[in-house]
Amino acid sequence: MKKSTILSKIKLFYGFKKDSDLARYLGISPQTFSNWKKRNTYDSLLLHTKCPEINLEWLLTGEGQMLKSSALDKDSPISILEDPLLKLQERNNFNIPLYNLDSNGGFKNIILKKSANTIISNFLKIPNLSDCDGAIYINGESMLPLLKNGDIIIFKNVSVDNLFWGELYVIEVALSEDSNHTFIRHIQKSNLGKGYIKLVSSNPIYEPKDVAINKVNALGMIRASIRYH
C-alpha cells in the first residue's frame, strides 16, 4: 500500500476534511505534509506518537489491521478490516475534535481555522451523534443548572441568518476592537429590532443581554453536552 494512501486513510479516520488539518494535528507544516504525499514517504515515528490508535506495523508496511487491537476492542462498535473505506467514513461520525478555547485564541479561531497552529486537544467518540464540528469545555456558571463549569459542549457551526429562536448556542461576541468573549446562551429575538439578538442565561443572576448581530464573530448550535460526576 502506498504511503500516500495510508495518509489519506488516517485523515479519514480522524475526521479531517483537509490535508492541512491533519498536518496541524501532527505538528508539521502543510508543505511538509504535501511533500510526504508527493514523495510517497512520511515520518513513521511521528505518526506513531501522534496517532496512538494506529497499528505501527501497518504504518511501516501497509499490511495488517490499521488499528491496534486495543483500540478496536475499546472504542469501535464496528469491525474495521484492512481496506474498509466505507466503514472508516461511518466511524468518522464518532470522531469529534475537542478544542481548548484559550490555547486556540477564542471560538472564532477554532471554527474558522484562522490560526495556522489550531490545536486539537483530543477526540470524542459518541455513537449516533453526527454532523458536528467540534467540542469545547465550559468555563463559568452562567448556564447553571443546565450546564456547569467543566462540562463539554458539542457544537455545529451555523450562521446568524439561520437561527432557531430559543435554542442553545455558543457565541463569540466582539466587545471591542481587540477584545472578544465567548458565551453559552439561549438566543431569542430582541426588542431592539432585526439588527440585534438577545442572549438569555439559565442562571437567574445573569440578566439577558441584547447584542448587535454585526458584533457576532462566530456561532455554533449546541448539539449535546457531557458532564463528569
Side-chain angles (χ1 to χ4, degrees):
M1 185 184 302
K2 290 183 178 180
K3 287 183 168 56
S4 58
T5 302
I6 289 176
L7 289 172
S8 295
K9 292 189 179 223
I10 292 174
K11 183 177 72 172
L12 273 175
F13 173 74
Y14 281 104
F16 295 117
K17 297 178 181 178
K18 300 178 182 178
D19 287 352
S20 58
D21 295 333
L22 178 54
R24 280 193 290 269
Y25 175 68
L26 296 174
I28 61 176
S29 68
Q31 184 60 46
T32 296
F33 188 87
S34 178
N35 289 337
W36 281 1
K37 296 189 75 173
K38 288 178 182 177
R39 298 170 183 172
N40 197 39
T41 187
Y42 51 60
D43 186 334
S44 300
L45 180 59
L46 175 63
L47 287 169
H48 179 58
T49 302
K50 292 286 188 176
C51 307
E53 297 94 346
I54 305 300
N55 183 8
L56 179 58
E57 179 185 358
W58 184 78
L59 279 174
L60 295 173
T61 67
E63 298 179 357
Q65 291 185 335
M66 174 180 173
L67 299 183
K68 295 178 181 178
S69 298
S70 57
L72 284 167
D73 293 340
K74 182 178 180 181
D75 297 324
S76 179
I78 57 177
S79 176
I80 296 186
L81 306 177
E82 180 179 352
D83 190 21
L85 286 179
L86 178 59
K87 292 186 184 298
L88 283 176
Q89 289 168 345
E90 292 173 352
R91 182 180 169 84
N92 243 2
N93 291 333
F94 307 145
N95 288 269
I96 302 168
L98 174 64
Y99 302 94
N100 182 288
L101 281 176
D102 293 333
S103 60
N104 283 290
F107 187 57
K108 179 181 178 180
N109 284 346
I110 289 173
I111 71 167
L112 299 182
K113 302 295 188 295
K114 288 291 185 181
S115 171
N117 299 309
T118 302
I119 300 170
I120 298 175
S121 302
N122 213 321
F123 286 90
L124 305 179
K125 299 179 176 65
I126 303 177
N128 302 320
L129 185 63
S130 60
D131 196 27
C132 295
D133 293 306
I136 59 173
Y137 289 98
I138 289 179
N139 293 316
E141 299 180 344
S142 63
M143 293 305 293
L144 286 174
L146 180 62
L147 299 169
K148 71 174 184 178
N149 187 56
D151 286 355
I152 295 173
I153 56 167
I154 301 163
F155 61 86
K156 170 67 179 175
N157 301 343
V158 295
S159 165
V160 291
D161 298 323
N162 295 296
L163 290 173
F164 291 90
W165 303 116
E167 291 293 338
L168 190 60
Y169 291 86
V170 51
I171 178 172
E172 182 181 291
V173 176
L175 302 179
S176 64
E177 290 186 1
D178 56 359
S179 177
N180 305 304
H181 187 76
T182 299
F183 298 89
I184 310 296
R185 294 289 191 275
H186 294 284
I187 294 184
Q188 298 180 359
K189 289 184 178 181
S190 170
N191 294 330
L192 300 181
K194 293 183 178 180
Y196 291 82
I197 54 177
K198 179 182 289 186
L199 307 185
V200 181
S201 172
S202 295
N203 190 332
I205 70 171
Y206 291 82
E207 294 186 359
K209 181 178 180 62
D210 292 289
V211 172
I213 289 177
N214 62 10
K215 295 293 184 181
V216 176
N217 288 340
L219 186 67
M221 176 182 282
I222 297 177
R223 300 287 307 278
S225 64
I226 299 173
R227 173 170 296 180
Y228 291 96
H229 294 280

